Amino acid sequence: MTKSPSESPRPLDHVVLPTADLALARQRLTALGFSVSPQGTHPFGTINCCVYLGDGTFLEPLAIGDKAAAGKAVSEGNVFVARDRAFRDAHGDEGFSAVVFGTDDADTDHGVFVAAGVSAGPRLDFSRPFVDGSGKSDQASFRLAFAAQPSADADAFFFTCERANVPAVDRSALQAHANGAQRVVEIELAACDVVAAGKLLATVARSKADGTGVPLANALLSIRNAPDAIGIRLETLVFAVNDLAATRALLVERAIEHDLKGRRLVVPAAPGQGATFIFEDLK
């Protein structure tokens, strides 16, 4: 029987990569062969510069642009900024803090998370200006519902993102990347309790945990056992590329440290990058 949309696994929407310096993140990601968007400014003190992929997903390097505004947001109960601050306090300003899933009903998601005992706090609605590569601007609006493992305030968190208003701008130039990256096919996570982690992720992703992890509509969450992890640790992003040899040639030309492991190019995490990046030829 075909699943109805309400029963199907959610899609990956984007990932959040905290950084101390947005300019450093832009420099690093550009060196890796990604096209990076102009700066985006949130109304609660954080700023980003995104990498948009061809399937509509994206990477969100995140920095603090206004410490006073961010502090005010935390005091007012803004879960996004509070979780970002807790992550930085525990792990430093560089890393991989959140995985975000697409939804068309953040209100219902919040109710599900509360009922399951995994809500990370109240929902958040916000809007921010969006500018494309040509300088054309529009307003982007979002509705977020948050989840996390109980008593793991400083570790990875997860949320669903309802795109209440999608900017009417052309992203095609930003979706073309010199490294050939097309989409994220896998996110690798580590957990001290794989079963508990799988249960949480299955709830948020509206999916089922199996022996390999939690399948999404457009990617896979892989969970490995790591006794040293506290809660869930986000580690690696795996990108599908259209020509692995060309991707490797770019990394060599730009003196980017990497290892070739079979059909995978592994680039260790670095300042401005946040996570280990793996480029994989899926042809």
Side-chain angles (χ1 to χ4, degrees):
M1 179 182 295
T2 302
K3 290 185 176 182
S4 69
S6 63
E7 298 173 327
S8 300
R10 299 187 193 281
L12 173 69
D13 188 87
H14 68 279
V15 299
V16 182
L17 304 169
T19 183
D21 184 342
L22 211 59
L24 177 63
R26 180 183 300 280
Q27 180 182 42
R28 175 63 178 178
L29 293 169
T30 300
L32 288 168
F34 289 104
S35 300
V36 185
S37 75
Q39 178 179 307
T41 301
H42 295 142
F44 33 72
T46 52
I47 55 178
N48 65 20
C49 60
C50 297
V51 171
Y52 296 102
L53 300 169
D55 64 348
T57 61
F58 63 97
L59 317 183
E60 181 184 14
L62 186 76
I64 306 300
D66 184 332
K67 290 184 178 180
K72 182 173 184 290
V74 172
S75 68
E76 293 174 345
N78 183 307
V79 177
F80 180 77
V81 185
R83 296 293 307 208
D84 177 71
R85 173 175 287 186
F87 183 91
R88 292 173 191 271
D89 287 347
H91 306 288
D93 285 320
E94 302 289 334
F96 182 3
S97 63
V99 176
V100 189
F101 307 91
T103 186
D104 56 7
D105 191 345
D107 282 328
T108 295
D109 297 345
H110 176 66
V112 170
F113 300 160
V114 169
V118 298
S119 173
R123 270 214 328 92
L124 175 66
D125 295 352
F126 75 96
S127 299
R128 72 166 181 85
F130 175 90
V131 182
D132 69 9
S134 68
K136 183 180 178 181
S137 63
D138 198 349
Q139 195 79 357
S141 299
F142 308 92
R143 298 165 58 82
L144 313 181
F146 301 93
Q149 286 191 320
S151 304
D153 292 344
D155 293 300
F157 65 109
F158 308 88
F159 56 97
T160 58
C161 177
E162 179 183 347
R163 301 188 187 188
N165 184 61
V166 179
V169 291
D170 182 8
R171 285 182 175 170
S172 57
L174 291 172
Q175 292 174 329
H177 304 287
N179 59 23
Q182 302 296 306
R183 61 190 181 94
V184 173
V185 292
E186 185 176 352
I187 298 174
E188 298 178 357
L189 312 90
C192 58
D193 186 335
V194 172
V195 173
K199 184 177 180 181
L200 167 68
L201 293 171
T203 298
V204 183
R206 200 173 59 205
S207 185
K208 290 185 178 181
D210 58 29
T212 58
V214 177
L216 306 178
N218 56 353
L220 173 68
L221 302 178
S222 297
I223 311 169
R224 71 176 183 87
N225 182 56
D228 65 319
I230 300 175
I232 298 173
R233 183 170 67 222
L234 305 175
E235 296 184 325
T236 302
L237 294 169
V238 182
F239 300 90
V241 299
N242 54 17
D243 186 337
L244 194 65
T247 304
R248 189 183 190 195
L250 180 144
L251 297 179
V252 170
E253 178 187 356
R254 299 183 180 184
I256 301 294
E257 178 187 355
H258 66 279
D259 292 315
L260 178 61
K261 297 182 177 180
R263 297 173 64 189
R264 286 182 154 196
L265 289 169
V266 182
V267 180
Q273 180 181 328
T276 298
F277 284 5
I278 295 177
F279 298 99
E280 183 174 60
D281 189 344
L282 298 183
K283 293 181 180 179

